[in-house]
Amino acid sequence: MIDLKLLQKDFDATAASLIRKNVDSELINSLKTLSETLKSTKLVYESAQAAQNERSRLFGQYKKEGKNTDELKVEVDAAKAQLVDLLEAQRMAEEALEAIAMRVPNLPDSDVPDGEDENDNIELRKVLTPPTFNFTPKEHWELAEQNGWIDFERGVKLAKSRFSVVSGMGARLERALINFMLDFNRERGFMEVSVPMLVNRRALEGTGQLPKFEDDLFKVDGEELFLIPTAEVPLTNLYADEILNATELPIKMTGYTSCFRKEAGSGGRDVRGMIRQHQFHKVELVSITRADQSDAIFEEMVACASDLLLALELPHRLVTLCTGDLGFGAARTIDLEVWLPGQNTYREISSVSNTRDFQARRAKIRYKEEGKNILAHTLNGSSLAVGRTMVAIMENFQQEDGSIIMPAVLQKYL
RNA sequence: GGACAGCUGGCCGAGUGGUCGAAGGCGCACGCCUGGAACGCGUGUAAAGGGCAACCUUUCUAGGGUUCGAAUCCCUAGCUGUCCGCCA
């Protein structure tokens, strides 16, 4: 959630910032109005309550002194009825504000480039040169089927479309990648954590998937539980509702989970192959930091993901997302896109975001510094999407006969 | 799933109707002590919102109720623990 005080104090700048993220200006106006209404409603209620508290105190005193309380009781009862109404007004103002505030995205950092969509993203740099082939490189689904690594049909039989089965060397590669990534991240100071893959509504509100994006999530029937779309949700919410000691920060974590997404809005995109599945594996990085640490940790996380690709000898590029492509909770994001020779293009394989205090405000993650409670900064990044990494390995290391050479760093994991 | 017990500050824990946002301890911060530390001693220390401030409001899991007044009494829900059942 954005800082509503900032919106009240510096409306023009905050509104301009939200407009950069395509938030409707009417919505911004109503957000401001509602937050001010709440403020004045509260003021009225609180002074009425203060008067009532005083009367109650007097009542006790009268009783003790043996005075008659009949007159006071009439007064108290009258005020009580009024208080009920005032409280109700306050509650309605709160609800109205929250309904909107929880659906307003984070403010982008001032240096995030303006833009409409992914076409306006800005390439930062390329790492490694794409390989050249003296034959026409195949796409991964062809290679996967030829090598017996992935069975798309049987995945559909077991569940539905966008599910697949990985077997043989493919399954071993998947496991090797997960282990390799976790070890790599651990060596960079990220503590390994294993978390639930089902979470409650509160957790998803904390990281921003709810209330706005419920359609993208798989929900467990009859329970208030959802399958996680990313390990970012449980890892970040690990510290929800807590006040950490400043000296404990930064907390740097890595975790492997399956991820589940309905891919509701993705239409007919990437229907073939394993680029876009309902269930996929991902190793995630999450950091909880002090406000002054998040920029440095952000760079660390980007470097970690990029170096991981480098270790796997996978050509990739780093891209700064423009305002229009930025996710709901992100103040800034760098995507890592891996080269896919079969598709002759770069495709997203990792996304590293700094949400600043946006998630922390929702999830109530604070730290104490010099006696004050300060909202933490939270960051997340994939490191990496396992399925897409397998796709990249297949396409980049394919031989003319369709066989695939494994990256050297994975040897000891296979 | 069944029975019983519990849920209080960063943590532990006292508190059965007003003097309680709450004893005490731990932790933390600062100071003294020390060559430097530990120990010891002293002081401070719940959160959220509003206000320049004094101060005000709210919060003892949540929601409802009783009462002039609820951490305290009643109801419901959630969670935790223990025992039983089931089980990888």
Side-chain angles (χ1 to χ4, degrees), chain A residues 298-345:
Chain A
F298 180 74
E299 295 304 326
E300 256 184 58
M301 289 167 67
V302 171
C304 187
S306 177
D307 291 349
L308 200 45
L309 285 167
L310 184 61
L312 290 166
E313 302 162 61
L314 291 171
H316 60 281
R317 62 174 191 169
L318 282 72
V319 172
T320 296
L321 297 198
C322 69
T323 50
D325 204 23
L326 218 49
F328 181 74
R332 69 188 308 113
T333 297
I334 288 179
D335 270 6
L336 282 80
E337 299 180 343
V338 72
W339 175 254
L340 296 184
Q343 296 190 15
N344 197 38
T345 185

Side-chain angles (χ1 to χ4, degrees), chain A residues 51-122:
Chain A
Q52 184 75 329
N53 287 346
E54 176 58 21
R55 278 189 286 268
S56 256
R57 203 188 55 76
L58 262 183
F59 197 99
Q61 198 184 312
Y62 281 17
K63 280 275 186 197
K64 208 189 261 175
E65 294 169 358
K67 285 193 194 167
N68 186 298
T69 52
D70 292 354
E71 210 172 303
L72 188 58
K73 185 158 171 18
V74 171
E75 228 179 283
V76 162
D77 286 344
K80 199 173 173 181
Q82 197 198 357
L83 272 170
V84 170
D85 292 345
L86 289 173
L87 185 62
E88 181 57 22
Q90 183 189 313
R91 217 174 60 185
M92 278 169 69
E94 259 165 10
E95 266 172 32
L97 176 63
E98 189 178 287
I100 290 189
M102 288 293 277
R103 290 166 189 270
V104 171
N106 198 4
L107 306 169
D109 281 354
S110 56
D111 61 343
V112 168
D114 281 315
E116 280 300 305
D117 51 34
E118 67 265 24
N119 298 312
D120 297 325
N121 293 342
I122 291 173

Side-chain angles (χ1 to χ4, degrees), chain A residues 163 216-220 225-227 260-262 278:
Chain A
F163 283 91
D216 297 336
L217 300 169
F218 286 103
K219 185 166 189 282
V220 179
L225 290 172
F226 299 81
L227 278 69
F260 305 87
R261 298 184 185 178
K262 280 200 175 171
H278 284 311

Side-chain angles (χ1 to χ4, degrees), chain A residues 34 71 90 163 173 183 186 193 287 368:
Chain A
L34 286 170
E71 210 172 303
Q90 183 189 313
F163 283 91
L173 172 61
D183 283 347
R186 186 166 41 85
V193 186
S287 300
K368 198 180 270 290

